Amino acid sequence: MKAGRPAQGRRTRTPLPAARLNELWQAVWGEDPQAALSELCALAKSERVKKDLNARKERPDLRALLADPRPKVRKNAARLLGALYLAGDQSALQEAIEHEDTLYVLPSLLLALGQGAAAAGPFLREFAQKRAPSSRPEDAKHEAAIAS
């Protein structure tokens, strides 16, 4: 066996990228959190990263980003909340869905809330029933693409 290589047939765990996580986590609270949120979403596919991020004291503050004035920040915050979903996220996500007026943010919010499984069901059914189809000018390109 060569030095530095695991024995064949043995599984090794990739080290938790602690320094990178800390750097990204700090960037979330900076002036432009969009890219940091997106990268954290990718890293949160790992259960160890989820556990680490959910244990951070600022974790509940992620919910406040659902009200950020920048749609891409709201979208990426919803994606990260969906990846890290905790029961306490449900009310923040429901409120954000009720108030969201940017069409491309809404699917991320709905998918994040759906991580709550059965608990989200009644709200999602009610939302789907009362949501009127959109007919705003910016939707025309999407409607045309669907029609073709």
Side-chain angles (χ1 to χ4, degrees):
M1 177 169 84
K2 292 184 181 178
R5 291 180 59 193
Q8 228 173 357
R10 290 189 129 182
R11 291 184 142 199
T12 59
R13 295 179 85 180
T14 309
L16 190 66
R20 184 67 181 145
L21 282 178
N22 290 334
E23 180 184 321
L24 291 168
W25 191 253
Q26 292 306 313
V28 165
W29 314 112
E31 286 184 32
D32 188 19
Q34 178 185 331
L37 287 165
S38 185
E39 192 168 339
L40 284 170
C41 288
L43 292 171
K45 292 177 183 174
S46 158
E47 288 300 319
R48 291 185 308 157
V49 170
K50 283 183 195 180
K51 186 176 178 180
D52 178 89
L53 294 177
N54 276 331
R56 292 175 185 246
K57 66 180 173 127
E58 305 91 355
R59 166 56 175 85
D61 298 339
L62 281 175
R63 298 173 190 140
L65 293 175
L66 295 173
D68 192 273
R70 298 162 291 189
K72 288 183 180 180
V73 171
R74 295 193 305 273
K75 177 182 177 281
N76 286 343
R79 288 177 54 225
L80 185 56
L81 284 169
L84 303 177
Y85 194 86
L86 296 174
D89 297 333
Q90 183 173 347
S91 61
L93 287 163
Q94 287 176 342
E95 185 176 331
I97 288 168
E98 292 287 347
H99 295 99
E100 187 56 59
D101 61 357
T102 303
L103 192 59
Y104 73 86
V105 176
L106 198 53
S108 296
L109 290 166
L110 293 168
L111 288 169
L113 183 60
Q115 295 301 310
F123 173 84
L124 291 172
R125 278 188 290 282
E126 180 184 328
F127 178 76
Q129 289 174 351
K130 70 180 182 180
R131 177 83 176 185
S134 177
S135 61
R136 299 180 310 195
E138 62 266 25
D139 296 334
K141 69 177 180 180
H142 301 295
E143 291 167 2
I146 290 170
S148 63

